[in-house]
Amino acid sequence: MTVDIAIPVYNEERALPGCIETLWTYLSERFPFAWEITIVDNGSTDGTLLAAEGLASAWPYVSVLHQDRKGKGLAVRTAWLASTADVVAYMDVDLSTGLDALLPMVASLVNGHADIAVGSRLASGARVIRGVKRDITSRGYNALLRLVHGVRFTDAQCGFKAARAEVVVPLLRRVRDNGWFFDTELLLLAELNGLRLHEVAVDWVDDVASQVAIPRVASGNLRGMLRLARLRLLGAATVSGLPQRPAPTATHPDAVLGQARRVTSRRRYASRAPVHLAGAAALVAYVITRFVVAGPGRRAP
């Protein structure tokens, strides 16, 4: 099995060298699968691309992709679609998520138990050091996701994710967002289509130099939630081309089974979702986006 880890970067000339050195050392010493690192520069205006090319020349198994357009989601999509690895992953350049979570995350994909694996700062056992403002914003956003879409995953936005390539490619063809909502849209479509998600509790230390503009990101995320809620209400959230898991069977050869019942899957559940709740919550999200985040008298950006 091969694993390709993408590092999306935008104006990260300062942080990139330390990230690659730390990640390369960890993978070389502690990671049991064949691996490569792909730096994805998405429209940087500083010396990030030059730094990335220098790192790719200095370190084996490190390569660079460049795109002129800005967008974290676009960077991850570009890297994953271009990869030939069995498992694709990405992590933020600031390495806020502890690397000890990488192997448990990838192992669940390599052995076939899960389709997509995500790091979670809100799962039981996670240890997080972050400011109050960001913590409240993150918890509120994920709570709203559970209200609107009834999701089971706890943390949509942690920049630490991986997927089986054969599963994620059909999803990427349906994901529309190229920015910060990319992660949420990917996970929503995965869960609504019956894929198995695996969450790993992580250690996470907030990088105060992060370039995330919370109000703008929150506005875009809420609009994205509304768009996905509409797709669900219209029955248009199904993704074709996804590999199907075989039906569960008894492991013991002499098992005494009860009367067979229809297998319950998340995919069928998605089609029977309580649309009244999704619709009402989507309306709340729209009101928040237009009048609270954008402010009275002007449209949301």
Side-chain angles (χ1 to χ4, degrees), residues 148 229 232-234 270-281:
V148 176
R232 290 186 64 185
L233 291 170
L234 295 173
S271 65
R272 303 195 305 265
V275 294
H276 61 283
L277 177 57

Side-chain angles (χ1 to χ4, degrees), residues 52-110:
E53 291 171 342
L55 291 166
S57 299
W59 298 88
Y61 313 115
V62 177
S63 60
V64 180
L65 289 176
H66 171 71
Q67 56 188 23
D68 294 328
R69 295 170 54 196
K70 182 181 175 182
K72 172 191 171 182
L74 180 61
V76 176
R77 184 204 309 274
T78 299
W80 284 4
L81 289 178
S83 178
T84 58
D86 302 298
V87 172
V88 290
Y90 96 85
M91 63 181 65
D92 291 338
V93 68
D94 59 15
L95 298 183
S96 290
T97 306
L99 293 177
D100 286 344
L102 181 61
L103 182 54
M105 189 169 69
V106 170
S108 68
L109 305 172
V110 171

Side-chain angles (χ1 to χ4, degrees), residues 31-195:
F31 200 65
F33 306 111
W35 54 269
E36 57 184 316
I37 301 170
T38 303
I39 305 170
V40 194
D41 174 56
N42 51 313
S44 294
T45 57
D46 64 357
T48 297
L49 179 58
L50 184 61
E53 291 171 342
L55 291 166
S57 299
W59 298 88
Y61 313 115
V62 177
S63 60
V64 180
L65 289 176
H66 171 71
Q67 56 188 23
D68 294 328
R69 295 170 54 196
K70 182 181 175 182
K72 172 191 171 182
L74 180 61
V76 176
R77 184 204 309 274
T78 299
W80 284 4
L81 289 178
S83 178
T84 58
D86 302 298
V87 172
V88 290
Y90 96 85
M91 63 181 65
D92 291 338
V93 68
D94 59 15
L95 298 183
S96 290
T97 306
L99 293 177
D100 286 344
L102 181 61
L103 182 54
M105 189 169 69
V106 170
S108 68
L109 305 172
V110 171
N111 64 25
H113 179 73
D115 299 307
I116 295 178
V118 299
S120 174
R121 298 160 295 187
L122 301 177
S124 176
R127 299 184 299 177
V128 176
I129 300 175
R130 72 191 314 189
V132 175
K133 180 179 179 181
R134 287 199 172 192
D135 189 53
I136 293 176
T137 301
S138 177
R139 291 179 182 276
Y141 176 66
N142 284 284
L144 189 57
L145 269 177
R146 290 190 291 273
L147 173 65
V148 176
H149 292 285
V151 298
R152 294 182 176 180
F153 55 84
T154 62
D155 189 354
Q157 294 178 302
C158 183
F160 202 76
K161 294 180 173 65
R164 291 166 49 210
E166 63 174 342
V167 171
V168 81
V169 168
L171 289 175
L172 292 174
R173 292 176 180 148
R174 285 294 304 274
V175 174
R176 285 178 48 189
D177 192 85
N178 287 323
W180 295 102
F181 188 68
F182 170 87
D183 298 62
T184 302
E185 186 169 0
L186 180 73
L187 296 185
L188 279 173
L189 287 176
E191 187 166 286
L192 293 173
N193 282 273
L195 298 180

